[in-house]
Amino acid sequence: MTSSTASKRQKTSSSSSEGEGAPYELLYWPGIPGRGEHVRLCFEATGTPYTDVCNASKSNMSQLISLISDKNTGDETNPPTLAPPVLRHGGLLISQTPNILLYLGKRLGLAGAEGDENAIYHVNQLALTALDGLGTEVHDTHHPIATGAYYEDQKPEAKKKAEDYIANRLPKFLGYFERVLEAQASRGGEYLYGGQITYADLVLWQCLDGVSFAFPKAIGGLKKSGKYGKLFALYERVKGLEEIKEYLGSERRMGYGMGIYRHYPELDSE
Amino acid sequence: MTSSTASKRQKTSSSSSEGEGAPYELLYWPGIPGRGEHVRLCFEATGTPYTDVCNASKSNMSQLISLISDKNTGDETNPPTLAPPVLRHGGLLISQTPNILLYLGKRLGLAGAEGDENAIYHVNQLALTALDGLGTEVHDTHHPIATGAYYEDQKPEAKKKAEDYIANRLPKFLGYFERVLEAQASRGGEYLYGGQITYADLVLWQCLDGVSFAFPKAIGGLKKSGKYGKLFALYERVKGLEEIKEYLGSERRMGYGMGIYRHYPELDSE
């Protein structure tokens, strides 16, 4: 793209919406992948430039802190933020992971084929399901009683919760996505929806990666069962994409820490 | 509207999308408001005709059962359903409450002002936040360990979870929405976003109504504190809308039962 085309595109876009053409900025807790990782993966998979604000410089944390402060009442157009991740795009500020993905999905070509106007509702459904069952519920296995308290203060309850999660919930969600993939495969599709990669695939990939980190034995067992062949094949397919491979090998990809996905051996299968 | 206008409108719509002009059908567990109630309220508040399939006839339950069966692989365009509520609109089948609301929001005029193209992301953010913090988390107070087990089998954990919810989570979420409303009020707005009612207001209303049923003492105390004046005023404002008043007095509005919002006195404040 020549620079004149670029500036032209920017001008055209900004007339229809303030934020278009502006840089994409992610604000999330630094040092852990967390829910921010779903947003990062959309940018990385599509080679879209973005700034990971709080990882770019320690001093930028103050921006996130002031956004989620209970003194913040938002501004003329944006309601205040309750929790990160936050996406800043020009004058637009939005939060809630599936909401940010919804916003980025169409813009980055990750929401299904162009002419399929209902694709976004199918992709959103699949992403919400993965985020619930393989994200939030995994967090609850180490914090079943109080999000604001330490794991060490809710260990017996966490053990019970993790047992139920591994025995009942994990197979339920993996089974659902395996079924989605089987139906797609019968029509020649290798992704969750519409025969092409969408952000639902990226969300599911990240969730599977996180759950595998948290419960390596449980996931190992489910993998061996052979019941989820298409799902684990999708995992490898996404991991093997050029852009993703490059990203995973870069310093931008962070290790799991004390976030949603934690590895406590005592919570895993025996 | 004359019948010729009506048929004309229907024709115009169906040319742009297969499902437009088709009847709206909600499929959800019969006899309880549950998550289906968020969908019902969108129809009721806007006087939009819809069929509450499983409440219309007992025999219709088989339709929902076959949708959520683990043998269901969806069809040519729709991925399978994991859980209700499900919206059927012509050939379209979608699930996940915030996803159905997203689909209906623009169609029913509940997603902000026409020219405000980013309104949907603000409304979706607010709805997701209410559904998480005043919906899913409330369900978890009586089922902190295992969704598929009885409350009676997780009572001690439920008590701990409910104590934390009432002490920490509930004020956090109510405080957030109070802040959103304060900011709107400073610009003359009486609703959560953009000076007009959106589906986020309806979601918040239903959540507040449900939490008040589950924890009447806790909510009574928070109301008396005077810290959430705008929030409880919004609750009364929505309740007083003609269409909502009519709906709440009708047989279509169901009492709370063994769903998300349950009243166990032992879990409430003392």
Side-chain angles (χ1 to χ4, degrees), chain B residues 171-192:
Chain B
K172 180 186 172 90
F173 285 99
L174 298 192
Y176 173 71
F177 285 109
E178 181 72 12
R179 214 154 16 105
V180 172
L181 289 166
E182 274 167 10
Q184 291 291 317
S186 72
R187 292 166 217 128
E190 290 192 318
Y191 290 103
L192 284 171

Side-chain angles (χ1 to χ4, degrees), chain A residues 17 54 64-65 101 135 163 179 189 198 238 248 251 267:
Chain A
S17 165
C54 299
L64 178 57
I65 296 297
L101 299 175
E163 277 173 2
R179 209 151 22 103
T198 67
V238 171
L248 296 177
E251 282 185 0
L267 296 186

Side-chain angles (χ1 to χ4, degrees), chain B residues 86-128:
Chain B
V86 183
L87 179 74
R88 189 161 59 197
H89 191 209
L92 182 73
L93 268 176
I94 52 174
S95 59
Q96 279 280 2
T97 310
N99 189 44
I100 295 173
L101 299 176
L102 187 79
Y103 179 81
L104 293 176
K106 281 197 179 180
R107 282 168 178 75
L108 306 186
L110 290 172
E114 286 262 331
D116 182 355
E117 64 176 307
N118 284 328
I120 189 70
Y121 302 104
H122 297 309
V123 173
N124 188 38
Q125 171 183 320
L126 295 162
L128 284 163

Side-chain angles (χ1 to χ4, degrees), chain A residues 158-225:
Chain A
K159 181 62 187 162
K160 284 190 192 179
K161 178 85 173 178
E163 277 173 2
D164 180 71
Y165 183 77
I166 290 169
N168 299 309
R169 305 294 288 171
L170 189 51
K172 180 187 171 89
F173 285 98
L174 298 193
Y176 172 72
F177 286 110
E178 180 71 12
R179 209 151 22 103
V180 172
L181 289 166
E182 275 168 10
Q184 291 292 317
S186 72
R187 288 165 220 129
E190 289 194 319
Y191 289 102
L192 285 171
Y193 182 77
Q196 62 186 69
I197 192 162
T198 67
Y199 69 80
D201 297 292
L202 298 174
V203 166
L204 182 58
W205 183 85
Q206 171 56 25
C207 287
L208 264 183
D209 195 69
V211 179
S212 304
F213 171 81
F215 303 121
K217 288 186 185 170
I219 288 287
L222 291 166
K223 207 169 171 177
K224 264 193 209 151
S225 78

Side-chain angles (χ1 to χ4, degrees), chain A residues 24 39 42-43 87 99-109:
Chain A
Y24 289 112
V39 183
C42 289
F43 293 132
L87 178 76
N99 189 44
I100 295 172
L101 299 175
L102 187 78
Y103 179 81
L104 293 176
K106 280 197 180 181
R107 281 169 178 75
L108 306 185

